Amino acid sequence: MGAHESTRHAEPGSERRPRSDAGTGERSPSERQERKKKVLTQGTSSMAQSIADAIVLKQGGVFLVTEQGGAIPLRGEHGFGLYYHDCRFLNGYTVELDGVRPEVLASTAEADHAGVFRLANPRILMREGHIMSEHDVGLRWERVIDADATAVHENITVHNYARSAVDLEVKLTFRAEFEDVYAVRGLMPEALGKHHAPAASDEELRFSYDGADGLQRAVTIRWGCRPDAIDGTSALFRVRLPPGHSQPISLVISLSESSGGTPADRPAPSCSGADVAAAKRRGEERLAAQVQERAHVETDSLLVNRVLARSFADLLLLRTPLDHDTFFAAGVPWFTALFGRDSLITALEVLPYQQTVAVDTLRLLARFQARERDPWRDEQPGKILHELRVGELARVGEIPETPYYGSVDTTALFLILMARHAAWTGRLDVFHELRENVDAALGWLSSPEAHPEINGYLAYDSTSKSGLVNQGWKDSGDGIVDEEGQIAEPPIALVEVQAYVYLAKSELSDLFERAGEAETAARLRREAADLKERFDRDFWLPERGVYALALVAGGHRAAVCSSNAGHALWAGIADPSRARTCAERLLSESMYSGWGIRTLAADEKAYNPMSYHRGTVWPHDNALIAAGLRRYGLDREARTVFGGIVRAAMHYRMYRLPELFCGFPRAEHGAPVRYPVACHPQAWAAGAVPYMLASLLGLEPEGFERRLRVVRPILPRLVRRATVRGLAVADGRVDLEFRKRRGDAVEVDVLRVEGDVDVVVEER
């Protein structure tokens, strides 16, 4: 990459330095082997402390991850903190009462941007020698994220519930080290720039850092009322309260970035209880406007309703702006960034309810589509990105995510979302707008010069020194294995990638036909049909009753039973004669934990129920498989998958499905076993239950015909009635009600039709 191209993918107004290595960035065969041995695992880290019970607040690009009581530990390696632009600005923040941490009573974070924590004093030996009984003093700690001001407003109200006056010290202590998210995860060295000594006064406490990327980052804490003392990075407030009285402590935490050594020219937000309320109100208004954009679902099951409500709330939380578009950030805290695969699959899951983010996602990914060959970033022309980072390590070129293109499946998923969006909207405008990007993506899929192939199948083999060893959705270094339990040797042609290519070409052919390009449409159909025929011959494992995980170096099959095979059902590439056998294997005891389908069968040699990709359960994986089961008429099996995932959600705080959970059998544990550093909320996990429900209801759009087909609708076992309001098809909207009759039969009532759209119900 030439120097003149160094800012091509940088944020507007920023500059990104060339990467630090002076060579090509290409990985030699010996380096590939060494990289493979290290088993770099996407999504795991060296964190010693679990974030499974973390409280998450987010608005726009600012997010906060805390312990249950609202604090950020001052010591130890952990993932808690206040983050912005791939940097953890604040990595410590505690509250103490007379030198003692208060007890946590409750924490609420129902809204994405606001939370309330209830704390109380433990039994305290006061400095005067007397003992304060437990729970004499209560704290109500309210915080609101204001993304427009890049700030967090806070109000800590201290209340005396004792029958006598109290006199105590409230101590707020902060720590800021400005770590890049890769350093937080333990994947890269510590920060490269210069930390300045904290500057404290009775008006504010300021931390600042001069990054190696030329940006000065700062955290400024301003007090609503002056502290009684400042001790290093602690502010001390003396609280004297008669019985039944309260005292507020207000503050605002501001984040800033500036270049050229000049402090950011931004007015300081004020801090008071009124400012907290105003910031909260603005956030609620923003949320209300976004809620109006989507269809609404309600059932007669309290559990399903709560899981759906949490899912949609998390999807709103994860909507993140980039320039004038928004996308679903992959997950908090590790992947709050634009990820091609995650953002695309989440947009696909949400399409039945909301189509706006899909358009934004397509435009963003088209803007960053690869235009040249760069081994450092696994970039080839036409490829859709894997990951875009904007932090210090990316800006100085220490990591290739600027963006990085090491995904073998995102390009096909980009085309699938394009086609599915058109099917719902009945319009070709996005297809025409991004036509050059569509052609480039198809060119990459069909070019053996652009990527490795095995027997004509799309494969991968990263050459980047810092790239991912595995480049499908199971992108951990040990995620793809063979029947002997050994890590598979690249190049690797994954089963689901071939399925995605088939689906992309099949569905795009219709758009080309409608655009008057019959020859291109016919060619794509021929290529899809040829792929389907070869696929069944080369991937089916008759002795195991499932499709192979992959073809690997030398054309050998990775003859293991994995969840990847279920994606072949989702895409429709599976031969109908294989579908039931494949489904039986996926729902067998070795694959189905009782909570969901495992990523790898328990009878495989590489199985580990605690491994990121070799035995855990991923909600989005199950959602795609459930939709695939429905495609082949396997309704009972699809409903089983839905039920398992919903029951799992019941055991998580606020019914929030995490990125993944461990694959231990349900019979052994009364609740799913948590994966300690899983992202939550996580985008495609949040989209899983809404997507599965739409699939069970049989919603199949034919927007160009201004028609919605409701095909073989079924309801989950927990549900006898479901209502969908505001379902957008073409230029119309539809309200539907689904009711169980005898047995599993479902009756569909069309409650309302707005605009020119027809509803056709196709029962069994």
Side-chain angles (χ1 to χ4, degrees), residues 505 509-510 512-513 517-526:
K505 291 184 176 182
S509 64
D510 181 60
F512 278 99
E513 187 84 53
E517 300 182 51
E519 186 176 336
T520 302
R523 175 177 59 79
L524 290 174
R525 292 189 184 106
R526 286 194 304 272

Side-chain angles (χ1 to χ4, degrees), residues 17 29 45 107 123 140 160 266 285 320 333 358 428 476 485 513 548 555 643 682 687 696:
R17 301 182 183 182
S45 72
S107 52
R123 186 180 174 88
R140 184 181 188 273
N160 180 14
R266 174 180 290 175
E285 291 170 354
T320 303
L428 288 172
S476 54
E513 187 84 53
Q682 205 263 0
L696 293 181

Side-chain angles (χ1 to χ4, degrees), residues 52 306-312 314-315 318 330-332 349 595-596 617-623 641-661 672 674 678-692:
R306 286 180 172 174
V307 176
L308 286 169
R310 184 71 260 163
S311 296
F312 285 118
D314 283 349
L315 289 165
L318 289 164
V332 176
E349 290 175 323
W595 304 113
V617 175
W618 290 63
H620 91 280
D621 189 27
N622 279 257
V641 175
F642 179 92
I645 294 295
V646 168
R647 283 194 299 271
M650 179 174 62
H651 294 276
Y652 286 94
R653 181 183 176 85
M654 299 188 299
Y655 303 89
R656 170 178 283 158
L657 280 167
E659 178 185 16
L660 72 157
F661 46 88
R674 301 187 177 203
C679 288
H680 65 95
Q682 205 263 0
W684 60 15
V689 170
Y691 184 65
M692 282 193 285

